[in-house]
Structures are given as C-alpha cells and as structure tokens.
Amino acid sequence: MLKYILLIVGFILLIKGADMFVDGSSAAAKMLKVSPLIIGMTIVAMGTSLPETSVSISAAIAGKNELAISNVVGSNIFNLMVVCGMCAVMCPLKIDGVSLKRDFPFSIAIAGLLMLLGGFGSSVGHIDGIILLVLFAGFLAIMIHTARKQNVEPEEEYKAMPVWKLIVFIIVGIAAIAIGGKMVVSGASDIAAAFGMSDNLIGMTIVACGTSLPELVTSIVAARKNEVDMALGNVIGSNIFNILFVLGTASAICPVAFTTENLIDSAVLILMSGLVLLFCFRKKLVVRWQGAAMLLLYAGYVAYIINRN
C-alpha cells in the first residue's frame, strides 16, 4: 500500500511543482527580456532533469551500471517521443529556427558521441565523463551568450510578477518536481522489482518514464499555457543535459558499463531523433498526426524491449 501512496503523492507534487515552475520561469523570462526558449533549454531543462541526475549518479556509485545508462537513454527516448508527442497532439509544437539548425542536431550528435565512447571498451570511463562535462560547459556558455544577445519585449498587457514571488515559485517548483519524481521512481521501482524485472528493463521503462515525468508534466503545462517554445526547448535541453551532465558526472565518478543493449537503444534514440527532426524540418512545426505517430512508435519500442528482456 505504501508503494501506491508514494506514486499518488509523487504525481501530485510533480503536477503542482511543474505548474509553479512554468509560471515562475515564464515570469522570469519576460522580466529579464529573455526568450522562453532559452529559459526552457537551461533553467527548466536542468530543474526537470534532477530525478535523472539523482538516479544515474546514485546507480553509478552503487555499481548498478545498467540502471545508470538505461535511465538516461530511456528518459531521452521518452522525452522525445512521448513528451513531444503528447504536446503535439494537444497543440502543434513550433520549433525555433536556431534550435532546429543548432540545438536539435547537437542533441543527435552527442547521442552518437555516447555510442562512440561507449562502444570502445564497452564502458563510459573517467576520461569520457570529463569530455562530456567539458562539452556541457561549452553548451551552457553558448546558451548564456545567446540569452544576452536577445532582447524580448514583454507583452503590453503583461503584469509583472513580484521578484520574491517568482523566486519562490521557481524554488518550490524545483523542490516539488525533484521530490515528486523521486517518490514516483521509488514506488514504481519497488512494484516492478516485485515482478522480477531486470535492472535494464526497469531502467528503460519504469525508471525512465518516472524520471521523465517532470519533463512530461512541465511541457504539457507549458503547451497548455501556449508556451510552446518552452515545451520543446525543455525536451531538447533535458536530453542534452541528461547525456552531457548526468552521464558525464556519473562516469567521471565511477566508470559506467556500456552493453550491447545500450548500444542498440542509443541507435534507436538517434533514429527517432532524426525522424522528429525530419517531421519539423520543412514547416518548423510538429503537428497532431505526427505527435500521434510518435506515441505509437514509442509503444512499439516498449513492446520490443519488454520482449527483449
């Protein structure tokens, strides 16, 4: 019974936390005259990736290497196909031209880099982790530089949120998202383990979906509030953050094993990323039927990994 209570309370914290976090981040973007896309790819992406960070680093330290890698790769696939897919079904997702030409291809490139680093030696070691962290620092510097160059005028009817209030919203939102995500993962993992599922299967399904719930809830809330740039920026930013920072930190602390299954799943991530990029390349838009197709593809992929294990 306690496991199910953890799940319910975790979901509530995630939903309320995401709602507060989007409101606070949107207010901050308008007050600082920064594009919501940049806010989504930095502050929101990092905040919603806290569960992946906690799970993967803890798993690496504990020696549960399969869980560390599968959590990140599985979360990125979930983010891309389910989070973007559900948002697109609700409201067609627009993608910024710069993000389409720079950030999205970069997320695909680092997934390929992960395959390359993991494929040689069948592990992501200390040096590999440092390489990923250096790339993350460079990416973050570019985001900050881009934000400084932009000057987004607030809407005429926009009523500024008090600074103290938006800070409280962001901090409380992050805390609720992190705690809620951890509670959901804990409850779901215990339930899954009781059915005798492997660490890799748990990581690619239950844990990946659980740690991606913040991205899902935050992006859906953002889409409902017509902050579609923040919704898509959150997903792209989270996927980049997960590989470069989360796996970079985990492998820098303790080398993480990279199995054949991880290699296959990373290839699937690259293929699915390429498909979504193709969807939105011409019109810079992901429409409803494409979102539905993404959800169906993810369902088929889950069926495959369950059968594989």
Side-chain angles (χ1 to χ4, degrees):
M1 181 61 69
L2 180 60
K3 299 179 182 68
Y4 294 101
I5 292 175
L6 280 175
L7 279 174
I8 295 171
V9 174
F11 281 131
I12 293 172
L13 285 174
L14 283 172
I15 293 169
K16 295 304 296 181
D19 195 31
M20 293 181 68
F21 196 62
V22 169
D23 285 342
S25 298
S26 297
K30 291 169 182 175
M31 183 183 73
L32 298 172
K33 297 182 180 180
V34 174
S35 165
L37 174 65
I38 301 299
I39 295 292
M41 292 196 66
T42 54
I43 298 174
V44 179
M46 293 178 189
T48 55
S49 289
L50 286 174
E52 284 94 340
T53 306
S54 176
V55 169
S56 291
I57 292 176
S58 298
I61 294 173
K64 294 187 176 181
N65 295 325
E66 286 190 5
L67 191 58
I69 289 284
S70 60
N71 173 40
V72 166
V73 177
S75 292
N76 280 14
I77 293 174
F78 185 91
N79 287 345
L80 187 69
M81 305 305 284
V82 178
V83 176
C84 283
M86 288 191 69
C87 287
V89 168
M90 291 174 56
C91 176
L93 284 181
K94 297 178 182 177
I95 182 168
D96 180 79
V98 175
S99 184
L100 181 65
K101 295 178 181 178
R102 183 192 65 190
D103 303 322
F104 208 157
F106 180 65
S107 70
I108 298 175
I110 60 172
L113 177 63
L114 176 62
M115 281 186 66
L116 186 65
L117 294 176
F120 287 99
S122 299
S123 69
V124 183
H126 295 299
I127 301 300
D128 299 329
I130 293 173
I131 291 172
L132 295 176
L133 289 174
V134 169
L135 285 173
F136 175 71
F139 169 74
L140 197 58
I142 291 173
M143 289 295 100
I144 294 172
H145 177 69
T146 302
R148 286 180 176 176
K149 288 175 62 178
Q150 290 184 339
N151 184 29
V152 180
E153 293 296 331
E155 299 169 4
E156 293 183 3
E157 299 180 358
Y158 170 67
K159 185 178 180 181
M161 180 185 292
V163 176
W164 68 267
K165 188 174 181 180
L166 71 86
I167 291 175
V168 169
F169 269 44
I170 291 174
I171 293 175
V172 173
I174 288 177
I177 286 169
I179 295 170
K182 188 173 182 181
M183 291 174 71
V184 168
V185 170
S186 178
S189 296
D190 288 344
I191 293 170
F195 288 93
M197 298 170 69
S198 68
D199 282 346
N200 185 71
L201 180 56
I202 291 175
M204 289 297 299
T205 54
I206 303 298
V207 178
C209 294
T211 54
S212 290
L213 283 175
E215 283 90 346
L216 176 62
V217 177
T218 301
S219 293
I220 288 177
V221 170
R224 289 181 62 186
K225 294 176 183 291
N226 292 321
E227 297 284 358
V228 289
D229 280 349
M230 184 180 290
L232 192 54
N234 174 38
V235 167
I236 297 172
S238 291
N239 282 9
I240 293 172
F241 183 86
N242 286 345
I243 292 178
L244 296 184
F245 181 79
V246 176
L247 269 185
T249 303
S251 56
I253 294 172
C254 179
V256 179
F258 198 87
T259 65
T260 302
E261 290 179 341
N262 296 145
L263 191 66
I264 294 171
D265 296 329
S266 297
V268 170
L269 172 60
I270 293 172
L271 289 173
M272 288 185 172
S273 297
L275 177 64
V276 176
L277 184 62
L278 183 63
F279 277 166
C280 57
F281 195 79
R282 290 183 61 188
K283 297 183 179 179
K284 298 180 181 178
L285 198 70
V286 181
V287 296
R288 288 186 171 88
W289 74 264
Q290 292 170 334
M294 290 157 64
L295 292 173
L296 288 174
L297 280 173
Y298 182 78
Y301 170 70
V302 170
Y304 158 71
I305 59 176
I306 289 175
N307 182 66
R308 181 182 69 187
N309 286 268

